[in-house]
Amino acid sequence: MLLSKALVFIFFLPKLVVSSSNNNFIFNGFRDANLSLNGLADITSDGLLRLTNNTKAGLGHAFYPLPLHFKDSSKSNGTILPFSTTFAFVIQTKDDDVSGHGLAFATSPSKELTGAFPNQYLGLFNNISHGSSGNHIVAVELDTVQNMDYGDINDNHVGIDIEDLKSVTSHEAAYVADEDGDWKSLKLVSGKPMQVWIDYSAMDMQLHVVISPLGVPKPRHPLLSTKVNLSAIILDDMYVGFSASNGAATSSHYILGWSFSLNGNMQALDSSQLPFAPSLGKKRISPLLMVVLPLVAVLLLLLSLGGIMLILKRRKKYAEVLEEWELELGPHRFSYKDLYKATRGFKEEYLLGVGGFGRVYKGVLPSSKLEIAVKKISHESRQGMREFISEIVSMGRLRHRNLVQLLGYCRRQGELILVYDFMPNGSLDKFLFDKTKSSLSWSQRFQVIKGVASGLLYLHEEWEQVVIHRDIKASNILLDCEFNARLSDFGLARLYDHGSNPQTTRVVGTIGYLAPEISKTGKATASTDVYAFGAFLLEVACGRRPLEVRSIGESPGLTDMVLECWKRGVLLNAKDPKLGNDYVSEELELVLRLGLFCSHPEPTSRPSMRQVMRFLEGDAPLHLSPDRLSASVSASSYDYSFDNVILSYPSIADTSTSARGSSMEAITLMHSDV
Ligand SMILES: *[C@@H]1O[C@H](CO)[C@@H](O)[C@H](O)[C@H]1NC(C)=O
Ligand SMILES: *[C@@H]1O[C@H](CO)[C@@H](O)[C@H](O)[C@H]1NC(C)=O
Ligand SMILES: *[C@@H]1O[C@H](CO)[C@@H](O)[C@H](O)[C@H]1NC(C)=O
Ligand SMILES: *[C@@H]1O[C@H](CO)[C@@H](O)[C@H](O)[C@H]1NC(C)=O
Ligand SMILES: *[C@@H]1O[C@H](CO)[C@@H](O)[C@H](O)[C@H]1NC(C)=O
């Protein structure tokens, strides 16, 4: 051990690249770095700065040993110099689901931070100092445990902390890829190297933070931007460095490289020189193993025979169906092996939900580390497959910020697998109906409504061909990390057209969202989507599903209820009680009235999505009287007496045991055997 350390030292001595001037320094690895370390922090023989090992309730600090003069002597009193820093880090956990509390870059008046606590205090503060001005600590936290006391948004976020653990601003760990402008989620505790950039410009007092996987150039779009007068907080002499802490669960927090500059000219990290974090699960060879080893060798010989058989079995395990016509579809094709690995063999823990279309799993692509949602659809019919796949692939060309991006597909015997962008916040209905989730504010709801309208307008009118969604409802609306609405499952209903007998038209949709004319024509149109959108508007505004199980026979459906309120001149009584006083009455009224307008039983009387968009944007006034609607809506709303078979696809159902008494799924009719 000692020998190897010495060897490493001698061997690497000439290569030590640590340059530092008064205000600038860079560490591409920390092999010879002279840092001030305390707590669990140490520098490994590989040149990694390890802030914590897997010690419970442990913390570690590593600061640049000299204080830096932040104040600008050339300026009038008080103003600090601009600064920039970047560092590469890895956070490893033994168990994917639990982790230590996190890691922070900090500027602090002290490099020891004596008295700071581990756990949620991140080694920066203690129960007295946090939140009290005068501690002069400014930190960027990579927080991997959600702490409600400090308003943490989740257990995977980046935040700016100014003298307090309550971040002034925070965001789920993610970045906007420069190539396509899409948000990509990152998992801080993934054990993958990532890089953070922090820039403060003293002139306009803007503090920017960006994060990306190591190797991806600094994304242009900042993750966090906030205006803050750090001159009022940062003292003249400050230390800069890192702090990390664990609680009952632990992580190993590593810094691979770090560059800092005060007043410009920050040097970029050289990723080729950075050390690698140790891979997990490496075990030392014990003396016992020395004895066991020869036995193992014999066993191995036997096993290698088995191995050949295993290879044959694996070949079957990863077998796909790939026909010649698919080759020209090119890059949209995923290999089954990648998807299998991404979802760890479609493990139950990775299951996000089960719906009429099949099971949906979360996955991480092995090569790009991209988070994906994988939809596994069992499909026996080969008939029409070619047409369907080309359609799906062409759907992959649909690009809109309110659609869940389809990335590609894979095909196996009897199975079709679709790959989508992963949406970290799940489906909208959870936020409306699930008591365990916090409810959405009105401004978030209105934003979601406008997003859905915009996505639907794109499908109906703005793409090269008209795409009918056919199953608009809250559970088919997913939310991205910024709570933007994303329509999912568009185009999928078509799967059930291909290969089915044209004589028996199957109606696809969910009762409560199905326009009355569908029972006669069986045909989905843009106008039936608008009808479902109307039901969706009322659902979001009233916090009730269009039809509730308990309400059948007792109280009217949602449309009638809203209409009734309107006629009595108390339209706003229909609103979701959970909203309290948090709403803009003009917007809420507009949404309720527009919901009724779209739910008009007469297809020709419904607005188009373009008109809907103009109403929502306030570009056109919505003139509508309750009397004009009343006769028609009440008369035929929610007529169950469909002659045709209704095949409804309950969308992704919650796999957790949440209260689902009022679930629409409970009353959807499933006659798929007909
Ligand atoms: C490390 O830095 C401190 C503070 O500048 C200094 O006192 C000490 O001598 C340095 N140690 C080494 C080994 O360079
Ligand atoms: C962590 O580091 C401390 C201090 O260096 C050491 O005493 C402890 O044994 C280490 N624990 C583990 C689990 O590696
Ligand atoms: C800055 O403050 C110091 C004392 O705090 C004072 O002596 C000096 O005159 C001030 N300079 C300016 C330019 O205000
Ligand atoms: C802060 O924590 C210390 C040590 O755990 C404890 O003795 C003290 O009572 C706490 N003070 C407050 C105000 O919570
Ligand atoms: C920022 O804070 C410094 C120090 O307290 C103060 O002198 C300066 O006026 C502040 N700047 C602004 C724009 O508020």
Side-chain angles (χ1 to χ4, degrees):
M1 203 58 204
L2 210 67
L3 183 70
S4 76
K5 221 169 200 169
L7 272 178
V8 166
F9 191 64
I10 293 163
F11 185 72
F12 284 103
L13 203 55
K15 278 186 69 186
L16 298 175
V17 190
V18 176
S19 66
S20 72
S21 63
N22 292 341
N23 288 334
N24 282 328
F25 54 80
I26 180 164
F27 300 99
N28 284 305
F30 295 87
R31 213 167 265 120
D32 72 330
N34 181 7
L35 295 179
S36 162
L37 305 176
N38 71 24
L40 297 171
D42 66 353
I43 290 171
T44 70
S45 56
D46 297 337
L48 287 163
L49 169 54
R50 176 169 54 194
L51 292 165
T52 67
N53 59 11
N54 281 312
T55 305
K56 287 184 180 171
L59 59 76
H61 296 136
F63 279 84
Y64 190 69
L66 301 171
L68 303 177
H69 302 292
F70 270 82
K71 292 269 147 109
D72 188 346
S73 50
S74 69
K75 293 267 169 57
S76 64
N77 276 354
T79 320
I80 63 163
L81 293 163
F83 64 87
S84 295
T85 190
T86 184
F87 60 91
F89 71 96
V90 165
I91 303 177
Q92 281 183 346
T93 53
K94 282 222 184 92
D95 185 336
D96 252 8
D97 296 328
V98 290
S99 65
H101 283 268
L103 157 70
F105 167 82
T107 69
S108 156
S110 138
K111 57 182 171 178
E112 279 83 29
L113 285 163
T114 325
F117 289 173
N119 300 314
Q120 68 269 33
Y121 299 98
L122 296 174
L124 295 171
F125 304 100
N126 60 33
N127 57 352
I128 319 266
S129 69
H130 85 89
S132 65
S133 69
N135 65 47
H136 300 289
I137 292 175
V138 175
V140 171
E141 61 169 31
L142 305 172
D143 192 341
T144 53
V145 170
Q146 182 170 27
N147 194 311
M148 295 300 183
D149 292 345
Y150 309 135
D152 283 356
I153 50 168
N154 62 15
D155 60 0
N156 183 43
H157 66 268
V158 183
I160 296 176
D161 296 350
I162 295 182
E163 300 191 313
D164 196 349
L165 286 161
K166 279 197 189 98
S167 304
V168 291
T169 175
S170 65
H171 195 293
E172 153 121 28
Y175 69 104
V176 177
D178 283 347
E179 320 83 82
D180 53 13
D182 283 349
W183 280 94
K184 307 237 188 309
S185 309
L186 292 171
K187 187 171 182 194
L188 295 173
V189 299
S190 60
K192 303 290 168 228
M194 297 177 210
Q195 189 169 358
V196 170
W197 289 264
I198 301 164
D199 297 282
Y200 182 69
S201 115
M203 193 104 102
D204 53 8
M205 301 192 288
Q206 285 289 333
L207 183 59
H208 294 301
V209 181
V210 205
I211 185 171
S212 74
L214 185 63
V216 170
K218 181 181 182 181
R220 280 194 297 270
H221 189 295
L223 178 69
L224 298 174
S225 278
T226 193
K227 185 171 177 168
V228 52
N229 186 3
L230 290 184
S231 302
I233 292 157
I234 289 185
L235 302 173
D236 186 7
D237 285 336
M238 293 289 272
Y239 293 92
V240 291
F242 301 93
S243 176
S245 76
N246 285 332
T250 62
S251 307
S252 296
H253 297 94
Y254 296 100
I255 307 290
L256 316 183
W258 176 29
S259 177
F260 182 92
S261 84
L262 202 53
N263 210 10
N265 299 327
M266 187 181 72
Q267 298 178 65
L269 292 177
D270 178 353
S271 53
S272 69
Q273 287 192 45
L274 299 180
F276 293 98
S279 60
L280 277 178
K282 243 199 243 166
K283 295 203 178 74
R284 294 218 186 96
I285 297 174
S286 71
L288 183 69
L289 218 60
M290 296 298 231
V291 182
V292 176
L293 224 56
L295 288 172
V296 171
V298 175
L299 256 169
L300 257 145
L301 201 72
L302 293 171
L303 277 175
S304 62
L305 286 172
I308 294 169
M309 294 173 77
L310 205 73
I311 288 169
L312 293 174
K313 215 175 138 193
R314 269 169 72 95
R315 195 171 277 177
K316 194 171 169 210
K317 179 166 146 191
Y318 295 133
E320 301 171 16
V321 177
L322 179 60
E323 288 177 67
E324 206 166 302
W325 54 262
E326 291 181 78
L327 294 175
E328 66 205 47
L329 300 173
H332 296 286
R333 176 87 188 195
F334 278 82
S335 87
Y336 184 71
K337 195 170 168 181
D338 280 352
L339 298 181
Y340 188 88
K341 285 192 173 149
T343 56
R344 309 259 173 104
F346 296 96
K347 251 202 198 147
E348 214 54 25
E349 300 140 70
Y350 290 78
L351 189 66
L352 293 171
V354 184
F357 284 116
R359 297 158 84 82
V360 185
Y361 297 85
K362 182 182 171 175
V364 179
L365 282 179
S367 50
S368 59
K369 306 301 162 219
L370 187 69
E371 287 190 307
I372 51 173
V374 181
K375 191 166 285 194
K376 224 176 170 195
I377 302 169
S378 73
H379 190 76
E380 293 307 329
S381 158
R382 291 172 59 84
Q383 200 189 344
M385 203 34 138
R386 177 175 187 163
E387 196 187 334
F388 178 70
I389 297 287
S390 352
E391 204 165 294
I392 282 293
V393 168
S394 87
M395 295 280 166
R397 288 192 290 116
L398 286 166
R399 253 163 233 277
H400 190 271
R401 68 198 150 79
N402 297 108
L403 299 181
V404 179
Q405 185 66 42
L406 177 72
L407 302 173
Y409 78 101
C410 174
R411 218 149 66 81
R412 299 240 297 162
Q413 196 66 52
E415 227 170 32
L416 173 66
I417 301 169
L418 300 177
V419 183
Y420 292 92
D421 263 350
F422 174 68
M423 292 291 125
N425 279 317
S427 63
L428 172 65
D429 63 329
K430 304 246 171 66
F431 288 91
L432 293 178
F433 307 115
D434 198 329
K435 290 182 182 62
T436 62
K437 290 249 183 186
S438 59
S439 183
L440 294 181
S441 70
W442 174 252
S443 69
Q444 281 173 316
R445 293 188 200 204
F446 197 54
Q447 190 60 32
V448 162
I449 287 171
K450 286 206 268 194
V452 172
S454 158
L456 207 47
L457 172 62
Y458 175 77
L459 290 180
H460 285 182
E461 297 184 28
E462 291 174 355
W463 201 49
E464 59 202 50
Q465 71 194 60
V466 178
V467 179
I468 308 295
H469 186 288
R470 303 216 218 180
D471 207 3
I472 301 283
K473 57 179 166 179
S475 50
N476 271 343
I477 311 296
L478 302 186
L479 298 173
D480 67 14
C481 54
E482 296 205 303
F483 284 93
N484 291 312
R486 305 278 204 120
L487 278 166
S488 76
D489 273 3
F490 45 88
L492 269 199
R494 301 275 289 150
L495 179 61
Y496 289 85
D497 285 357
H498 296 299
S500 72
N501 185 348
Q503 304 298 306
T504 61
T505 312
R506 284 174 169 192
V507 179
V508 176
T510 305
I511 289 187
Y513 305 82
L514 280 177
E517 72 268 19
I518 291 193
S519 64
K520 301 183 192 88
T521 62
K523 200 162 173 281
T525 61
S527 176
T528 59
D529 267 0
V530 170
Y531 184 93
F533 179 74
F536 162 77
L537 287 181
L538 299 183
E539 185 175 15
V540 174
C542 307
R544 267 181 59 179
R545 294 172 194 273
L547 282 171
E548 295 196 337
V549 180
R550 274 182 239 109
S551 75
I552 292 177
E554 285 171 29
S555 56
L558 196 49
T559 356
D560 289 337
M561 189 274 281
V562 175
L563 192 57
E564 202 46 47
C565 287
W566 194 6
K567 279 200 275 185
R568 285 191 281 119
V570 285
L571 180 57
L572 289 184
N573 282 5
K575 73 170 201 295
D576 184 354
K578 286 201 290 300
L579 282 172
N581 286 326
D582 160 41
Y583 60 89
V584 181
S585 33
E586 294 77 36
E587 288 173 0
L588 185 55
E589 272 189 33
L590 171 68
V591 168
L592 289 168
R593 283 190 284 145
L594 192 55
L596 290 177
F597 191 17
C598 293
S599 303
H600 202 291
E602 196 53 56
T604 50
S605 302
R606 290 173 210 147
S608 69
M609 280 320 291
R610 188 167 297 284
Q611 286 169 307
V612 166
M613 205 63 217
R614 292 180 57 216
F615 293 135
L616 285 173
E617 293 292 356
D619 295 340
L622 175 59
H623 298 297
L624 204 60
S625 87
D627 301 325
R628 232 187 88 201
L629 282 171
S630 57
S632 40
V633 171
S634 323
S636 62
S637 69
Y638 307 126
D639 178 3
Y640 297 104
S641 55
F642 293 169
D643 296 333
N644 296 338
V645 173
I646 293 164
L647 177 60
S648 174
Y649 300 112
S651 58
I652 303 168
D654 199 342
T655 46
S656 69
T657 54
S658 61
R660 288 239 135 199
S662 62
S663 161
M664 265 310 294
E665 277 77 16
I667 59 154
T668 49
L669 306 178
M670 293 284 286
H671 289 297
S672 47
D673 52 333
V674 181

